[in-house]
Amino acid sequence: RPQRRGALLQQPLGVVLGGDQQEREPGRQPRQVDLIALVDAPVLGSPATLGDTLFLVTRIGTVYRIDPGSEPRLRRITSLDWPVTAPVTIEDGTIILGGADGLIRALRTDGRELWRVRVWRPVEVGPVGLRDGLVALGGNGDLHRYRQ
């Protein structure tokens, strides 16, 4: 059964927009589920937003964007060569991901890497943005503050 995350539902290997077919409003038929596209692995956490665009990452490290419109479109941005273990975070227009290798990487919205920092592995909690940098929690309970 899909898990509800606002208007977006996540299923292993699929991203859908709309309601669950089991949901019913009194006196109405079940809602239709609209499939946007299939992805290559289970989606890790809730998508992040930048303006009206959604970004999501799968456990094997593929980053996708869902562009808005009357027919939303799922597009692969990049396929990383490491498993992602923390939900996608967006800070100042930058995609930030934590990996099983203990690295937090920042990507441009086109998938190119901007920077990386190392914490204890695995990174399981998404970094938190601050006005002058970010705070990250490593896999050993280690807390790091990075300034711009």
Side-chain angles (χ1 to χ4, degrees), residues 102-104 115 117-123 125-130 132-147:
L103 289 175
I104 296 173
W115 53 261
V117 294
R118 180 170 298 282
V119 297
W120 195 259
R121 64 181 188 273
V123 180
V125 177
V128 176
L130 305 170
D132 63 345
L134 62 91
V135 172
L137 185 65
N140 198 28
D142 47 317
L143 185 64
H144 303 265
R145 173 151 191 195
Y146 299 96
R147 297 181 195 274

Side-chain angles (χ1 to χ4, degrees), residues 36-57:
I36 293 175
L38 295 177
V39 295
D40 60 2
V43 174
L44 183 65
S46 297
T49 60
L50 179 60
D52 56 0
T53 302
L54 296 173
F55 291 87
L56 57 101
V57 64

Side-chain angles (χ1 to χ4, degrees), residues 14-70:
V15 178
V16 295
L17 195 62
D20 184 331
Q21 287 197 11
Q22 305 330 307
E23 289 184 288
R24 290 180 186 256
E25 293 178 26
R28 293 186 173 227
Q29 294 294 323
R31 294 184 198 174
Q32 178 65 38
V33 174
D34 300 318
L35 180 67
I36 293 175
L38 295 177
V39 295
D40 60 2
V43 174
L44 183 65
S46 297
T49 60
L50 179 60
D52 56 0
T53 302
L54 296 173
F55 291 87
L56 57 101
V57 64
T58 63
R59 290 190 185 276
I60 64 172
T62 307
V63 183
Y64 293 92
R65 70 182 288 154
I66 300 175
D67 295 313
S70 58

Side-chain angles (χ1 to χ4, degrees), residues 6-17:
L8 187 75
L9 296 172
Q10 299 173 30
Q11 294 179 321
L13 306 180
V15 178
V16 295
L17 195 62

